[in-house]
Amino acid sequence: MSFSLSTLRSAIRDYTEVDDTVLSDSIINTIVKNAEARIFRSVDSDDTKFYAVSQTTIGNRYITVPTGTRIIRYVQITDNSTSDQEFLKQVDSSFIATYHPDPDNSSDRAKPKYYAHWDNDNWVVAPTPDAAYDLTMAYIKQPTTITTSDSTTTEISTKQPDLLLYACLVETFKFLKGPDNMIQLYESSYQEALQTFAAEQQGRRRRDEYRDGVLRLPIQSPTP
């Protein structure tokens, strides 16, 4: 089972037994976006990971953040003259100010070692670059919402449809001011689905059978 936006809308109305005179398309779209945001903030899933390549500019210590970036995972720098690759160390902007107090001094330019968040659209490196270095940034952003069109599907709606449905039902019953027991029922179902999703994404997908061994669970069995 998987959901497109249109089939998800139908499922929400069927589960709540409320038609589109109350749960209009626009209201459900808002409910779905809230549910997607909740899932995104709860689990570090692979479908939220993206990569971008850019290059430093001589004398410019600021780097533009890719659109939609929520979290920077790491930044790798490549020296094109030697092909050496290193990872920049993330620090606070106050550290940058102390470490490199005169960023406009051309004699202090060098290969960057550190980076920090500067504002919502930029991050800053230190020292100020003395050459054009290649940068690879791994970052997290919220994936495209299923509400783009009626036929849209997403990674979550295709592979974790129960999780998305339960998250939507919790939000829907809150909107409908439904009975507490129904909210608790679907909240419990959501939490159960969330735990299995987290175990897959942050547990099993982070393991390697060759290095970590096969995951084994104790099973109760009677003594022969």
Side-chain angles (χ1 to χ4, degrees):
M1 179 186 69
S2 64
F3 287 118
S4 65
L5 176 59
S6 61
T7 58
L8 180 59
R9 284 197 195 113
S10 296
I12 292 171
R13 290 167 181 149
D14 289 344
Y15 271 74
T16 58
E17 298 182 336
V18 177
D19 62 23
D20 59 3
T21 58
V22 176
L23 291 176
S24 65
D25 287 356
S26 61
I27 288 174
I28 289 184
N29 284 358
T30 300
I31 287 170
V32 172
K33 287 179 182 178
N34 289 342
E36 290 173 327
R38 185 181 184 189
I39 295 169
F40 168 76
R41 290 192 296 266
S42 298
V43 178
D44 177 23
S45 60
D46 289 340
D47 66 309
T48 65
K49 296 179 178 178
F50 296 84
Y51 300 85
V53 178
S54 61
Q55 197 173 63
T56 63
T57 302
I58 297 174
N60 182 8
R61 62 181 182 142
Y62 299 103
I63 310 294
T64 301
V65 175
T67 302
T69 298
R70 300 285 290 272
I71 300 169
I72 297 177
R73 295 171 52 222
Y74 65 80
V75 180
Q76 186 179 53
I77 187 168
T78 302
D79 188 332
N80 296 318
S81 63
T82 62
S83 297
D84 290 340
Q85 294 181 329
E86 298 177 34
F87 289 94
L88 298 185
K89 296 179 181 179
Q90 184 179 14
V91 296
D92 294 331
S93 57
S94 57
F95 177 93
I96 296 284
T98 302
Y99 172 78
H100 197 56
D102 191 7
D104 297 326
N105 188 342
S106 59
S107 62
D108 287 340
R109 293 173 185 171
K111 181 180 177 181
K113 295 181 180 180
Y114 304 98
Y115 79 94
H117 293 281
W118 185 255
D119 57 30
N120 196 49
D121 299 316
N122 300 276
W123 42 284
V124 61
V125 297
T128 301
D130 63 340
Y133 297 98
D134 288 338
L135 296 173
T136 300
M137 188 179 88
Y139 64 102
I140 290 176
K141 72 174 183 177
Q142 190 161 341
T144 303
T145 175
I146 196 176
T147 60
T148 303
S149 71
D150 285 357
S151 59
T152 299
T153 60
T154 63
E155 187 78 7
I156 294 293
S157 76
T158 301
K159 296 183 178 179
Q160 288 81 34
D162 57 333
L163 176 63
L164 179 58
L165 176 60
Y166 293 142
C168 289
L169 289 174
V170 172
E171 296 299 319
T172 302
F173 275 105
K174 288 179 181 178
F175 169 77
L176 295 172
K177 299 177 177 61
D180 289 343
N181 65 321
M182 295 304 296
I183 296 176
Q184 292 170 4
L185 170 67
Y186 288 116
E187 177 65 26
S188 176
S189 297
Y190 166 75
Q191 291 296 335
E192 183 178 345
L194 184 68
Q195 289 302 313
T196 57
F197 179 45
E200 173 194 298
Q201 292 292 313
Q202 297 175 204
R204 298 174 66 187
R205 287 179 67 90
R206 304 293 193 271
R207 295 174 59 91
D208 181 292
E209 285 188 8
Y210 177 74
R211 294 177 175 83
D212 301 319
V214 178
L215 184 64
R216 294 175 174 84
L217 297 175
I219 298 176
Q220 295 291 334
S221 59
T223 304

